[in-house]
Amino acid sequence: MTTTTAERRTAAPAPATEAHEVTGWAVLRRGLALSPQVMEGLGVTLLLALLSTVGASVVPIVVRAAIDDGLGDGSQMDEGRIFLYAGLTLVVVLLTAGAGYAMRVRLFTRSEVALSDLRVRAFRHVHDLSVLTQSSERRGVLVSRVTSDIDQISLFLQFTGVMIVVSVGQMLVATMIMAYYSWQLTLVVLVCFLPLWLSLTLFAKHMSRAYDTVRRTVGEMIAVIAEPVVGASVVRSYAIERRTQRRVDAGIDRNYRANIRAQSIVAVTFASAGVAGGLANAGVIALGVVLGVAGGLSMGTVIAFAFLVGLFVGPAQQATQVITDAQNAIASWRRVIALLDTPADVVDPGERGTTIPDEPLGARFADVAFAYPGGPRVLTDVDVEIAPRQRVAVVGETGSGKTTFAKLLTRLMDPVEGAVLLGGVDLRDVPFSDLRRHVVMVPQEGFLFDATLRENLQYGRSGATDAELETAFTDLGLADWYAGLPQGLDTPVGQRGESLSAGERQLVALVRAALADPAFLVLDEATSAVDPQTELRATRALDTLLSGRTSVTIAHRLSTAESADRVLVFDAGRLVQDGSHAELLAEGGVYGRLHASWVAQSNLPGRMDA
Amino acid sequence: MSVDTAAPDDLTGTDDRIMRRGFGLLGRGIVAEKWWFTVSVVGSLLYGAMTVADAWVLGWATDHVIRPSFERGDVAEGALWTSVFLFIGVAVLRALGIVGRRLVGGLVYYRLIADYRRRVTRQYLSLPMSWHHRHPTGQLLSNANADVEATWAVFMPLPMALGVVAMLLTAIVAMVEADVVLTLVGLVVFPALFGINVFYQRWLSPKAARAQSLRGDVSAVAHESFDGATVVKSLGREADETERFRAATERLRDANIEVGRIRSVFDPLLEALPNLGILLVIVLGVGRVASGAAEPGDVVQVAYLFTVVAFPVRAIGWVLGELPRSVVSWDRVDSVLAATGSMQYGDRTLPGAGAVQLDLRDVTYTFPDADRPVLSHLDLHVGRGSVTAVVGSTGSGKSTLTSLLVRLVDPEQGRVELDGVDVRTLTHDDLAAAVALVPQSTFLFDDSVRENVTLGSEHVDDATVWDALRTVQAEDFVRALPDGLDTQLGERGTTLSGGQRQRLALARALVRRPRLLVMDDATSALDPDVERRILSELAARTSDGTGPTVLVVAYRKATIALADEVVFLQAGRIADRGPHHELVVRSAAYRDLVDAYDQAREAQ
Ligand SMILES: Nc1ncnc2c1ncn2[C@@H]1O[C@H](COP(=O)(O)OP(=O)(O)OP(=O)(O)O)[C@@H](O)[C@H]1O
Ligand SMILES: Nc1ncnc2c1ncn2[C@@H]1O[C@H](COP(=O)(O)OP(=O)(O)OP(=O)(O)O)[C@@H](O)[C@H]1O
Ligand SMILES: [Mg+2]
Ligand SMILES: [Mg+2]
């Protein structure tokens, strides 16, 4: 109870791509099928839940009996009978409490086990989606699939769902007892609550819309609150604090108003259930007395009805909230299911796959084309074969498709046309575990995890010893830099590696890749921020280290191209030139132009006149 | 790997101190929202009183309507109507009370949250960058979101709890009035309810807080793992990442189950207790009525009281249960609010227009927690309208130097001056208008191309934006985007190539027409061709007097060649300075760094 409101409010923002509308029941069925642990013994749990409502319903019976057996007028009191009733009820109440305990323990344990499983499965699935899916969806949205969405479901399984069962059970039992005592009074009670039940769906619809707005505003608010944090240095250096604050304030304010709106609906429904209860009590007493005097009812029955009405008020007060919670949970479930149902576009063939031979690897792009989802072609008709042991440089203007080429080569995504082959095997047939053992890419941004240097390097080779890690620095000619770190391998690199300089970050990423020791290495501007001297030293060392391996290097510094075996030139998504540096130089074209400007700037003697 | 585990261990010990501080926190919130809070408490008191009145009406009706009617065999009509009105009246008043309690109570809660979110984010905007560096993004985001919420969560049940206190007092009075012996049952059952609730919440709350913090860990692992997805995939670490996530998830699962077990014990117990009370009242009531000491209506009333009071009493438990969590969350929020060293800006404006002169005087800077300065005793003079290149090996302190100029950090010693004016005496707007920094790592907002370039400035029209885009050779690709300037770029601008992102960051600086332009290796992902064109255009602007003073961090000779002077940085000190052609001759270290490619080519 203490956490429910907080959980509800941090609910996930609705995703941009809401799954096709499936009915709530279908979602529930599918969701439960996904988590068989919940279904296990669910019948027993529900039975226990129903049993646990009995205690409360029995009390009005004993009240009635006591009153009719003498408490009512104090004349011919049968104390023994009353004590017997009380004793029996005591047993029932205690048994009921026991059933309540057993039901809850079962429910908590099973649903937690099931949901932790579901969380892990959803997490894994996100990683199985290609990077392109990951870059068009916000990280935060994906995170909420494995966090707040699952929390919503757990709220439902552990509280809301049970509450529905218990409330309905309690009202049914109460109605049955009432009907047994007096159908007329039962009718009065039902009529008093009828308007409430009828308006319930309306209330629930309003409330669900109100909470939708709350959820949306939460998402927007979190996004704008992130600006002054994530973009702190830009905000500071461009003095856009006021603008940022205005945006943040607006986001906070929208969320505030949405919450107040939802809150007022809750308050009104809650209050009206109480009014219905008052009406019912008044009606029961009035009609009860009239009927009783006419001789059809005992005094105990009339008073017992007041207690029975109490059994209606609670569920009625909670009903709108319960329905809304259920709707929220179903919506969350639907989103998680939609995620799991998104086919892993870059599928791991696993066991069924073909492994890459353990020998020097060549690669082949067979008529490859690629487009980011919803976008134009960014690579067209790429047909090229890279021989084993070749050192290939890839050059081209900004946005010409070099990074895209590298991502296809390492199967971070699959081509929309054609195929990419490594060692003669279509990448789509290679099990991931085998693929990553053979190909490693160092991406354009030197991303490091918020951990120590050691942990980051062990990312490249699990379980590497300190000695191995230190040797790796020496092998890459970085011993001096490493020696300059006061904390050595224990140096914390900061989030995304930001406690290191940009160049240092790239060096660490390079060492990490070298430790992985792949047969095929892809470097995407991996040393763009490193000074020329260190870069040359490190890449040369890497060459020696990986001699006999195949490598593809993307770089704007054409020195890389000059020393490569072969140069591929991209222009506007097409492979326009292919050959050795010398050949391409003779050919001219795009490469000639790029190279001319590179040489020009390498040889400028002094200040260039405008 | 390392996740911010703000362990709630401090919850278990020193209960009294936490409770005292919790009450202090309540006081703070109440004072801040005293009027609305008063309204909600009045509503809650009304609710509490009417809840008891409900039972009293039933007792009254039993003695004055039901029993007389049944005994006499005809309806006591006057009393019957009275009781009908009483039932309905009490119900309506109670409904009003509920609206006051829930709606206004909610108002107080949401107002406090909104207020503190604004305060926290204002701090984020005013605290210095050095503070930002020390605090992980995830932590700051949760300070402003989950922690603020948890701090004030106690205000949700608080009005109700206060109403319940009033309810209990009225209930005792009503009972005493009904029958003294039956009151004793109340005096046993109510304190027992209360005590069990307190005990329950005290036991539960550290565990619930632990679960909450583990939930934060799960989220942090997921966030980092998705953030670094490219690295994860390219090194084939999906399985290991899944294991890391599974470990965090299973810790959360176990904590949740532990919380669930406690709930499983107490919830049924708390439900059963009032029913046991009712039974006790009936058993004792039989004797009281038989001996003529009590009326049947008294028994009914007291029994009914248990059913209506039982649930609300739990609100007190919720308040006491929330308090420790609130205190822990408040500590985190307060650490943001109390953080000092907010960036102080002066009130001077920079006189004149056009290019400025830049001077660094004996500047030294050390990163917090570092044991030696990254910059020591720098003296630098950059003449008005000139171009100066900063050259130095990786990690030599170039980026740190550039961040001093826009006051992302301040030197611990020495001064930075623009036209002889200490930058610390300038207003923030004036400083930002004078100096534009294009940082080494590009940051784009999750917003449109236009907003990313103008950053919301109304003074920049589309023509100016296109001008700047043309200068940085970004016009073509922006025109090719589906919505042109209105295209949304996605998180951190992920839908663009590295070079395209860098160009937008350059355009962002250019549209402001700064008087000092600082580019920190801002052209590294640009093709040499494009870079040369940008720089020569800037150079052209400089030589006819309309361009800015330029400080540029670069390795490329073309860039260096544009510079009037080169500053050669080694391990945070200026090792040498002068025109490029002099430095190449004079400094072997400089030559080795800048000429590395040529030397390599010659060696081949
Ligand atoms: N936030 C930080 N906390 C601690 N140390 C830092 C931090 N940022 C940078 N450093 C250290 O300060 C030194 C200078 O860093 P800086 O970023 O200024 O180097 P740089 O010359 O710009 O390097 P590069 O050429 O790689 O960009 C480096 O050794 C780096 O590890
Ligand atoms: N995630 C994405 N979604 C949509 N479009 C993208 C995405 N990533 C890149 N693009 C577009 O695809 C084209 C090729 O991008 P790519 O990153 O391959 O270029 P590049 O040659 O590596 O450029 P650079 O030298 O700037 O790194 C660009 O026009 C870019 O805008
Ligand atoms: Mg690229
Ligand atoms: Mg730098």
Side-chain angles (χ1 to χ4, degrees), chain A residues 402-403 444 524-525, chain B residues 497-498:
Chain A
K402 305 181 292 296
T403 298
Q444 213 158 354
D524 183 4
E525 318 237 358
Chain B
S497 83

Side-chain angles (χ1 to χ4, degrees), chain A residues 481 484-485 491-494 497-507 529-531, chain B residues 129-130 133-134 365-370 372-375 390-403 440 520-521 553 555 569 572:
Chain A
W481 179 74
L485 295 174
T491 307
V493 302
E498 279 157 12
S499 297
L500 297 179
S501 86
E504 291 167 338
R505 218 150 48 220
Q506 289 191 330
L507 291 177
V530 178
D531 72 70
Chain B
M129 282 310 290
S130 55
H133 284 315
R134 284 199 307 275
Y365 181 77
T366 313
F367 276 105
D369 305 331
R372 53 169 181 245
V374 279
L375 297 176
V390 178
V391 177
S393 60
T394 289
S396 56
K398 305 178 294 296
S399 297
T400 312
L401 170 62
T402 62
S403 63
Q440 192 168 17
D520 183 6
D521 203 12
V553 175
Y555 301 117
L569 218 53

